[in-house]
């Protein structure tokens, strides 16, 4: 395997948009475009807006690698995650770093904080450093983000999901099937009043759809869905808003552990096995903390480190399989 990062055969053909192409589209000189990039306050607002619109339309990203030739190697890979505050993505970053750094590549990390506009800005910022590949959790949230990545003409790997039409390559698991697996287990356990807690990001939403569809197919009433704020612990507040439920699927282990804290405060948590729990709780991510609490947390185990290593390999190799399903495992412990 070569350590030289080159765009795979499935990547879009052609060169990335140039400054002169932006100038032509905007009807201005190349010098004006350069001023918009470097010194925007020196350009008339109307002209600046026209140039910025042309840049967006073409998917042009300025080269901010000072003094570098256009063909210079940066030996860097851009990585975009939703957040660094949640340990659920740490294994993926560690896995790809372990694969890339010994080969001489540095990892540039950015976070979107689950905000579409910020994600676009972070993608543009990463691309402006001329990385030789981009690895991101999930898929671009906007068409502008997709256009930026397609026009970059470098390897792009989407992770933690299996989009039907990835930009280039993908390494992840089926979030919809994860939701189905949890609902199927809870139904088999005899649970009747199901609920789902978590955010409304695309991956969490696909888990919800799988969970809901399987519950309905099993003859149960539609589960309740509680969308939590990003800063919500998922504990007391969530429990107070879900009276009478007897099973909860949390979009991640952090929400599940918080919800269990709320159950304990309400006297609805037992130290015995799953069959003794008034409310079953299942998370996703298999964080170490879930194995240390009592009762131990049932969860969907995702192979985050393998996702990271596979994503790194997909940036390094040309051709071959570009869609890798690494699967998941339902790990049953005492919480549900």
């Amino acid at each position: 395997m070569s350590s030289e990062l080159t765009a795979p055969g499935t990547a879009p053909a052609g060169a990335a948009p140039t400054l002169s192409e932006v100038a032509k589209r905007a009807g201005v000189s190349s010098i004006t475009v350069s001023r918009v990039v470097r010194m925007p306050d020196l350009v008339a607002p109307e002209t600046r807006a026209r140039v910025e619109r042309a840049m967006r339309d073409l998917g042009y990203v300025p080269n901010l690698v000072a003094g570098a030739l256009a063909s210079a190697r940066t030996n860097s890979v851009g990585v975009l995650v939703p957040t660094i505050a949640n340990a659920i993505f740490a294994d993926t970053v560690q896995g790809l770093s372990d694969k890339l750094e010994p080969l001489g590549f540095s990892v540039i990390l950015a976070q979107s904080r689950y905000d579409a506009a910020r994600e676009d800005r972070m993608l543009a910022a990463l691309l402006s450093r001329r990385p030789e590949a981009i690895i991101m959790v999930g898929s671009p949230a906007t068409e502008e983000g997709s256009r930026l990545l397609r026009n970059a003409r470098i390897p792009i790997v989407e992770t933690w999901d299996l989009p039907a039409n990835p930009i280039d390559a993908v390494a992840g698991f089926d979030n919809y099937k994860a939701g189905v697996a949890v609902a199927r287990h809870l139904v088999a356990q005899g649970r009747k009043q199901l609920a789902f807690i978590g955010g409304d990001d695309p991956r969490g939403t696909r888990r919800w759809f799988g969970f809901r569809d399987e519950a309905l197919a099993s003859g149960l009433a539609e589960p309740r869905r509680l969308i939590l704020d990003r800063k919500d612990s998922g504990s007391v507040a969530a429990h107070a808003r879900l009276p009478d439920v007897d099973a909860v699927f949390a979009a991640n282990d952090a929400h599940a552990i918080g919800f269990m804290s709320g159950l304990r405060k309400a006297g609805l948590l037992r130290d015995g096995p799953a069959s003794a729990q008034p409310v079953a709780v299942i998370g996703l991510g298999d964080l170490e903390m879930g194995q240390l609490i009592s009762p131990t947390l049932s969860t969907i185990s995702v192979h985050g480190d393998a996702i990271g290593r596979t994503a790194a390999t997909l940036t390094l190799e040309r051709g071959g399989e570009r869609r890798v399903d690494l699967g998941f495992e339902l790990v049953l412990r005492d919480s549900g």
Side-chain angles (χ1 to χ4, degrees), residues 3-39:
S3 62
E4 181 177 359
L5 288 176
T6 52
T10 54
T18 64
L19 183 144
S20 61
E21 289 172 339
V22 173
K24 182 177 180 180
R25 188 180 186 94
V28 299
S29 68
S30 295
I31 293 176
T32 299
V33 176
S34 180
R35 284 176 180 162
V36 170
V37 172
R38 305 286 179 178
M39 299 173 287

Side-chain angles (χ1 to χ4, degrees), residues 27-170:
V28 299
S29 68
S30 295
I31 293 176
T32 299
V33 176
S34 180
R35 284 176 180 162
V36 170
V37 172
R38 305 286 179 178
M39 299 173 287
D41 291 341
L42 298 182
V43 182
E46 182 180 342
T47 302
R48 186 170 71 236
R50 194 163 70 250
V51 171
E52 289 172 344
R53 183 166 58 251
M55 291 168 63
R56 288 194 300 271
D57 291 345
L58 291 172
Y60 172 77
V61 178
N63 185 352
L64 298 184
V65 182
L69 295 175
S71 60
R73 292 288 303 274
T74 62
N75 286 337
S76 65
V77 173
V79 178
L80 181 64
V81 300
T83 177
I84 58 175
N86 192 332
I88 196 170
F89 301 119
D91 284 349
T92 296
V93 175
Q94 188 65 58
L96 63 89
S97 297
D98 288 346
K99 184 80 173 181
L100 292 171
E101 289 177 355
L103 296 174
F105 299 103
S106 59
V107 171
I108 306 173
L109 184 64
Q111 55 180 336
S112 68
R113 297 178 183 170
Y114 295 97
D115 180 273
R118 178 183 170 88
E119 179 180 283
D120 286 348
R121 293 196 302 272
M122 291 301 100
L123 286 174
L126 288 171
L127 289 169
S128 72
R129 303 298 171 185
R130 293 301 185 263
E132 299 183 50
I134 292 284
I135 298 171
M136 66 182 298
V137 170
S139 301
T142 70
E143 182 54 39
E144 181 173 344
S146 295
R147 185 165 56 248
L148 285 173
L149 293 177
R150 292 183 191 281
N151 288 341
R153 274 49 176 197
I154 59 175
I156 306 294
V157 185
E158 298 156 73
T159 67
W160 276 77
D161 208 352
L162 291 174
N165 298 300
I167 292 170
D168 172 18
V170 59

Side-chain angles (χ1 to χ4, degrees), residues 108-317:
I108 306 173
L109 184 64
Q111 55 180 336
S112 68
R113 297 178 183 170
Y114 295 97
D115 180 273
R118 178 183 170 88
E119 179 180 283
D120 286 348
R121 293 196 302 272
M122 291 301 100
L123 286 174
L126 288 171
L127 289 169
S128 72
R129 303 298 171 185
R130 293 301 185 263
E132 299 183 50
I134 292 284
I135 298 171
M136 66 182 298
V137 170
S139 301
T142 70
E143 182 54 39
E144 181 173 344
S146 295
R147 185 165 56 248
L148 285 173
L149 293 177
R150 292 183 191 281
N151 288 341
R153 274 49 176 197
I154 59 175
I156 306 294
V157 185
E158 298 156 73
T159 67
W160 276 77
D161 208 352
L162 291 174
N165 298 300
I167 292 170
D168 172 18
V170 59
F173 65 100
D174 193 318
N175 283 279
Y176 182 91
K177 289 183 179 179
V180 168
V182 173
R184 188 170 294 162
H185 166 71
L186 293 173
V187 170
Q189 204 181 51
R191 305 290 177 171
K192 303 293 186 184
Q193 303 296 322
L194 278 54
F196 177 92
I197 63 173
D200 57 355
D201 61 279
R203 294 171 303 286
T205 298
R206 277 187 275 280
R207 293 165 201 163
W208 152 248
F209 284 148
F211 184 71
R212 179 202 63 186
D213 291 353
E214 180 64 19
L216 291 173
S218 300
L220 298 186
E222 180 169 330
R224 296 185 59 184
R225 183 187 186 190
L226 180 58
I227 297 176
L228 300 176
D229 183 86
R230 298 294 171 198
K231 297 180 181 179
D232 199 322
S233 68
S235 58
V236 178
H239 173 255
R241 294 159 64 185
L242 293 173
D244 304 323
V245 301
D246 63 2
V248 167
F249 176 31
N252 60 56
D253 280 0
H255 286 322
I257 293 169
F259 189 81
M260 287 170 64
S261 174
L263 290 177
R264 186 173 294 281
K265 291 179 181 178
L268 294 174
L269 201 64
R270 306 287 183 264
D271 290 331
S275 59
Q277 302 301 332
V279 182
V281 180
I282 298 178
L284 183 144
D286 201 11
L287 299 182
E288 183 179 6
M289 179 61 68
Q291 303 175 46
L292 300 176
I293 61 174
S294 180
T296 52
L297 178 64
S298 294
T299 187
I300 291 285
S301 179
V302 177
H303 309 293
D305 56 341
I307 289 176
R309 292 195 305 273
T310 302
T313 298
L314 288 169
T315 67
L316 293 164
E317 295 181 346

